[in-house]
Amino acid sequence: MTSTDSAATDNAQKAPAKDPWDLPDVSGLVVGVLGGTGPQGKGLAYRLAKAGQKVIIGSRAAGRARAAADELGHGVEGADNAETARRSDIVIVAVPWDGHGKTLESLREELAGKLVVDCVNPLGFDKKGAYALKPEEGSAAEQAAALLPDSRVTAAFHHLSAVLLQDPQIEEIDTDVMVLGEVRADVEIVQALAGRIPGMRGIFAGRLRNAHQVESLVANLISVNRRYKAHAGLRVTDV
């Protein structure tokens, strides 16, 4: 057999490339939302629960979380952050940036082995508007990965309007969700979770080292929204 014949045989035996839209079934997974009483966390909890996902929202105060859960309905439960982390398969981090590191550090044990989805945007505000901050680790997601060595950290859900998420009159959220992570299987789980919300797609957007510019883009969207009185999101073309 010639080298050309051998190469042709090897190519014929290779499995076909996986369809990037062949995503796992995540409908049976429990989703916890840390910071679930804040605007973005509450909006995500509402949309996922409405789509049929089992959702637990967390807060430093369990009573506050339970009150927010009762308000959302759709089977949402409320608990303190530690219980939320323990009971969930996927944990979305939607806490304010100034409490990000301290919150995750305190939950390292409860988040061990969990798939963590960081959607925190490190931003500052002054008279000129919003601007991006750069954490020492490079991004909020990379800070999470450094603080949670036993967790599987991804980044997603950065560019969503909390106003639209919480509006019960809106049936679909017309946007793409950029998902970043180190392990493709984990990224695909988060993509599939995003796709549970009508109108949304989860798009693979690289490894965590690229999270800073994704988080930072929110400052630009805030400027867009203020100028055009809108609730802008993102769509990735030709995908």
Side-chain angles (χ1 to χ4, degrees):
M1 181 181 291
T2 66
S3 60
T4 302
D5 291 337
S6 177
T9 301
D10 289 344
N11 288 334
Q13 292 175 344
K14 286 181 180 178
K18 183 179 182 294
D19 181 351
W21 296 110
D22 181 15
L23 301 173
D25 179 8
V26 297
S27 60
L29 299 180
V30 178
V31 178
V33 184
L34 304 182
T37 59
Q40 187 177 19
K42 198 172 181 180
L44 278 170
Y46 171 70
R47 289 291 164 177
L48 289 169
K50 188 177 180 182
Q53 208 75 35
K54 175 59 186 174
V55 177
I56 307 170
I57 58 175
S59 175
R60 287 177 296 178
R64 185 180 177 193
R66 285 192 288 269
D70 290 342
E71 181 183 338
L72 291 176
H74 297 286
V76 176
E77 294 184 41
D80 63 31
N81 283 331
E83 182 181 346
T84 297
R86 282 193 298 268
R87 293 177 56 195
S88 301
D89 301 303
I90 304 174
V91 180
I92 298 173
V93 181
V95 299
W97 166 241
D98 58 6
H100 180 264
K102 186 176 180 180
T103 299
L104 295 184
E105 193 170 21
S106 71
L107 296 171
R108 182 176 296 168
E109 182 177 342
E110 289 83 0
L111 291 170
K114 307 289 184 177
L115 176 53
V116 174
V117 186
D118 201 298
C119 67
V120 174
N121 303 304
L123 298 176
F125 296 86
D126 60 18
K127 293 180 180 180
K128 296 181 180 179
Y131 60 95
L133 303 174
K134 189 161 187 178
E136 182 179 346
E137 298 84 355
S139 64
E142 288 170 295
Q143 183 182 89
L147 292 172
L148 304 172
D150 298 320
S151 302
R152 296 140 54 208
V153 176
T154 60
F157 301 116
H158 300 91
H159 306 135
L160 306 181
S161 163
V163 173
L164 297 184
L165 288 173
Q166 294 185 81
D167 188 342
Q169 301 302 314
I170 295 176
E171 293 298 325
E172 295 189 1
I173 306 294
D174 181 25
T175 193
D176 286 332
V177 173
M178 301 179 77
V179 186
L180 303 96
E182 300 302 314
V183 179
R184 185 63 58 85
D186 291 339
V187 170
E188 290 181 347
I189 289 172
V190 181
Q191 287 180 260
L193 186 66
R196 295 273 287 161
I197 300 174
M200 267 189 210
R201 295 187 307 173
I203 304 288
F204 171 68
R207 294 179 178 270
L208 289 185
R209 68 181 183 180
N210 293 320
H212 171 66
Q213 55 264 38
V214 174
E215 296 169 0
S216 300
L217 189 57
V218 175
N220 302 91
L221 289 176
I222 290 172
S223 297
V224 170
N225 290 336
R226 287 181 175 174
R227 177 66 180 85
Y228 297 100
K229 295 181 172 33
H231 303 293
L234 294 179
R235 276 294 188 200
V236 179
T237 62
D238 200 31
V239 175

